[in-house]
Each structure stands twice: as C-alpha cells, then as structure tokens.
C-alpha cells in the first residue's frame, strides 16, 4: 500500500495537532501546580479558593468605591473653587459699579 502526499500531510497534521494539545495540557498542569504551590505557601488551601475569590471581589468593590469617592471629592472641590472665584468677581464688579 502506497501513501499519497495528501494522506501523509493529513497524518502529519493530525500528529502535530495531537502533540500541540498534549503540550498545552502539560503547560496547563504545570501552571495549575505552580499556582497551588504558591497559594499553599501563603497558607491558602484548595478549599479556600471560594473565600479567596470573595476577598478579591470585596477588594475590587472597595477600590471602585474609593475611586468614585475621590472623583466626587475632586468635582466638589473644583465646584467650590469656581463658585468662590465667581463670587469674588461678582462682589468686585458690584463694588466697582456701586462707587
């Protein structure tokens, strides 16, 4: 039985795809093992994953609320400064016209 070029290309492509899949699976396993090792070194076990996720979600909400408060504070300060300047200009114009 003689293999055609097309058959050889198909076999090579399938073999390369399988090797790539196995390589990707190996990398994922190594990364997961490394993450588990790091978390364990910090005293976090596999069962703590839900709590850790909840902690990060809480930190994200806290950060966003602080950023929002900073934004509102900045806007309020700018509004007060502009209102003060306009008030001073108005008083200056009123005093100038009143004399």
């Amino acid at each position: 039985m003689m293999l055609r070029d097309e058959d050889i290309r198909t076999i090579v492509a399938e073999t390369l795809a399988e090797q790539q899949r196995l390589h990707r699976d190996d990398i994922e396993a190594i990364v997961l093992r490394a993450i588990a090792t790091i978390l364990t070194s910090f005293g976090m076990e596999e069962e703590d994953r839900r709590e850790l996720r909840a902690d990060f979600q809480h930190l994200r909400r806290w950060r966003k609320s602080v950023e929002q408060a900073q934004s509102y504070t900045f806007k309020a300060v700018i509004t007060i400064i502009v209102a003060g300047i306009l008030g001073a200009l108005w008083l200056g114009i009123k005093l100038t016209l009143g004399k």
Side-chain angles (χ1 to χ4, degrees):
M1 179 175 152
M2 188 87 164
L3 289 176
R4 296 179 298 166
D5 283 344
E6 185 178 311
D7 294 336
I8 293 172
R9 286 186 184 144
T10 303
I11 292 170
V12 169
E14 288 173 356
T15 304
L16 289 175
E18 179 66 17
Q19 285 178 345
Q20 188 177 23
R21 186 188 62 76
L22 291 173
H23 182 67
R24 193 175 328 124
D25 291 346
D26 290 342
I27 290 173
E28 286 178 9
I30 291 169
V31 168
L32 287 175
R33 206 170 333 130
I35 291 170
T37 302
I38 291 169
L39 291 176
T40 302
S41 73
F42 287 134
M44 295 174 222
E45 297 299 325
E46 183 74 23
E47 301 83 36
D48 296 335
R49 188 181 293 179
R50 272 198 188 122
E51 288 186 39
L52 184 61
R53 182 179 298 137
D55 291 344
F56 282 127
Q57 288 172 345
H58 174 74
L59 286 174
R60 177 175 289 146
R61 282 192 305 271
W62 177 264
R63 178 183 54 82
K64 286 185 176 188
S65 68
V66 168
E67 288 173 352
Q68 188 177 21
Q70 287 174 341
S71 173
Y72 288 148
T73 301
F74 179 73
K75 290 175 185 174
V77 167
I78 295 298
T79 301
I80 290 169
I81 290 172
V82 168
I85 290 172
L86 290 176
L89 285 173
W90 176 251
L91 283 176
I93 290 172
K94 194 173 176 182
L95 285 174
T96 303
L97 293 177
K99 285 186 173 183

